[in-house]
Amino acid sequence: MSNEKKVRAYTNIALIKYWGKRDDQLILPTSSSLSLTLDAFYTETSVSFDDSLEKDAFYLNETVQDEAATQKVSRFLNLFREQSGMKAPAIIKSTNYVPTAAGLASSASGMAALAGAANLATGLNLSPQELSIFARQGSGSATRSIYGGFVEWQKGTSSSDSYAVKVDDANWDIGMVVVVVNKKQKELSSREGMKLTVATSPFYQGWIDSTAVDLVNIKNAINDRDFEQIGAITESNGMKMHGTMLGANPPISYWEPDSVLAMQLVRQLRKKGIPCYFTMDAGPNVKVLCRLSDSEKIKTAFLDYFNEDQLIISGPGSDLKEITL
Ligand code: 2P0
């Protein structure tokens, strides 16, 4: 079939976090965020419309998905159907090269790849900026996965100007060591976690105010290629997000003992003269921002406490791309 093309989108890890919506329906964030796209974690997706189907069928990692998961995909595809006039049901095939829902932002690469594949299958020929707006309506973090390198999601004033822009291609000595503390499905989704935080944390306004300052400072540091400054802002912003969550009622914590161990190891490595900085998302895993040229050294130090398969080195990822089968 002519539309059986796959699209690959890489995941991203926020250095300046997105944690809260001002519009739940359109997924408009309370603040702008900034991420690094990673090449080690990605999703590949194809969409083929087929009139002979009764309804959409969604396969993830070659397994047909249940009603709830399929509906989420269908609702997202409907945005493309509305825009293109396409009415037929579709077969959606997705392969996740990401430990799903382990806090490694699988929804980012997942929804970005789906947006790219739907764009191809409908022939809408959307620009990356338009694709970013579509991806956003699937999942906030997916907004940023349209681009490689350092990417800013500008919160905008409405749906039409809340999209991602590339800040820098990160084509220099930078990367991450991802410490997989626990691959299990998390108990509280980001979506629920951020909603509760916005509604109940007395620290929330402080979070918004200081994130705006962090964003300006990190963009200057990226422009200067000042790795230590980028790392220090990243570490501070991530911890502030977790502090804000601790202020929610009931309090939210995604940390596990090994998360704390990993953060301590990063501080020790820094004392020994290896510049590296940690960040954490809505899960127990720790991401260590480092110079790619130091990543093997950092991994070796972590091997005293973690297994080989818990330590994944990644360089910067690229823009969303079409994969020819
Ligand atoms: C981020 N996270 O900026 C933040 C930091 C996790 C912690 O974006 O509700 O799956 O689909 O917009 O994008 C995870 O939240 O949430 C996330 P929805 P999403 O990467």
Side-chain angles (χ1 to χ4, degrees):
M1 247 189 283
S2 61
N3 53 14
E4 276 226 29
K5 284 179 186 162
K6 285 200 289 188
V7 169
R8 180 188 294 179
Y10 296 87
T11 198
N12 68 78
I13 301 297
L15 311 184
I16 303 297
K17 305 294 187 186
Y18 146 56
W19 197 251
K21 299 179 180 66
R22 63 182 201 272
D23 184 321
D24 287 346
Q25 215 56 42
L26 289 168
I27 311 198
L28 296 174
T30 52
S31 58
S32 299
S33 54
L34 185 143
S35 56
L36 178 65
T37 301
L38 296 186
D39 69 350
F41 308 93
Y42 54 90
T43 303
E44 288 182 354
T45 298
S46 68
V47 170
S48 347
F49 289 102
D50 186 340
D51 278 318
S52 68
L53 294 169
E54 274 185 21
K55 52 181 184 166
D56 291 338
F58 173 39
Y59 293 82
L60 179 59
N61 300 334
E62 300 190 347
T63 307
V64 71
Q65 298 296 295
D66 65 15
E67 192 69 22
T70 308
Q71 263 181 17
K72 204 171 163 193
V73 167
S74 292
R75 268 199 300 273
F76 185 64
L77 272 187
N78 286 343
L79 299 173
F80 289 81
R81 289 194 176 96
E82 282 159 24
Q83 181 100 351
S84 65
M86 179 75 78
K87 295 215 161 46
I91 294 189
I92 304 100
K93 290 183 187 157
S94 210
T95 308
N96 244 341
Y97 298 88
V98 183
T100 302
L104 290 178
S106 58
S107 68
S109 56
M111 283 298 177
L114 183 57
N119 182 37
L120 277 186
T122 52
L124 275 172
N125 209 9
L126 301 170
S127 67
Q129 185 174 306
E130 289 168 310
L131 261 189
S132 179
I133 291 171
F134 270 90
R136 191 199 75 226
Q137 293 168 75
S139 188
S141 50
T143 316
R144 302 182 304 241
S145 270
I146 302 301
Y147 297 110
F150 290 105
V151 181
E152 179 186 356
W153 172 15
Q154 300 179 336
K155 67 179 182 145
T157 58
S158 66
S159 185
S160 59
D161 65 353
S162 183
Y163 51 74
V165 294
K166 191 185 286 201
V167 169
D168 182 285
D169 61 13
N171 200 7
W172 42 287
D173 189 12
I174 196 152
M176 279 191 183
V177 179
V178 175
V179 185
V180 182
V181 167
N182 190 339
K183 293 215 259 196
K184 281 203 306 256
Q185 192 99 3
K186 58 199 173 200
E187 279 169 26
L188 181 68
S189 70
S190 311
R191 198 160 285 196
E192 291 309 314
M194 63 176 82
K195 209 173 168 160
L196 185 68
T197 309
V198 175
T200 64
S201 179
F203 307 149
Y204 199 69
Q205 191 56 46
W207 160 252
I208 301 267
D209 295 344
S210 89
T211 286
V213 176
D214 288 347
L215 182 66
V216 171
N217 290 340
I218 205 168
K219 284 201 286 187
N220 286 333
I222 291 168
N223 193 43
D224 297 343
R225 297 199 175 181
D226 182 344
F227 175 73
E228 268 103 355
Q229 189 62 12
I230 295 169
I233 298 167
T234 296
E235 195 169 293
S236 158
N237 186 266
M239 291 299 99
K240 280 184 279 193
M241 178 185 73
H242 286 275
T244 311
M245 289 184 201
L246 283 174
N249 186 15
I252 301 168
S253 171
Y254 290 102
W255 295 16
E256 292 188 12
D258 278 350
S259 315
V260 178
L261 170 63
M263 291 189 277
Q264 279 171 339
L265 288 174
V266 168
R267 290 191 193 101
Q268 280 171 16
L269 285 168
R270 217 153 56 211
K271 272 199 191 132
K272 287 185 188 153
I274 302 174
C276 55
Y277 301 85
F278 54 78
T279 190
M280 285 180 68
D281 294 292
N285 303 326
V286 175
K287 291 94 179 188
V288 184
L289 183 69
C290 62
R291 294 198 183 279
L292 201 52
S293 56
D294 284 331
S295 58
E296 286 293 347
K297 245 187 297 186
I298 294 167
K299 182 176 168 179
T300 303
F302 269 79
L303 278 171
D304 288 343
Y305 301 90
F306 293 90
N307 300 323
E308 177 85 38
D309 61 3
Q310 291 179 284
L311 301 165
I312 306 163
I313 292 174
S314 182
S318 59
D319 295 355
L320 182 104
K321 62 182 170 201
E322 216 177 291
I323 306 285
T324 322
L325 297 174

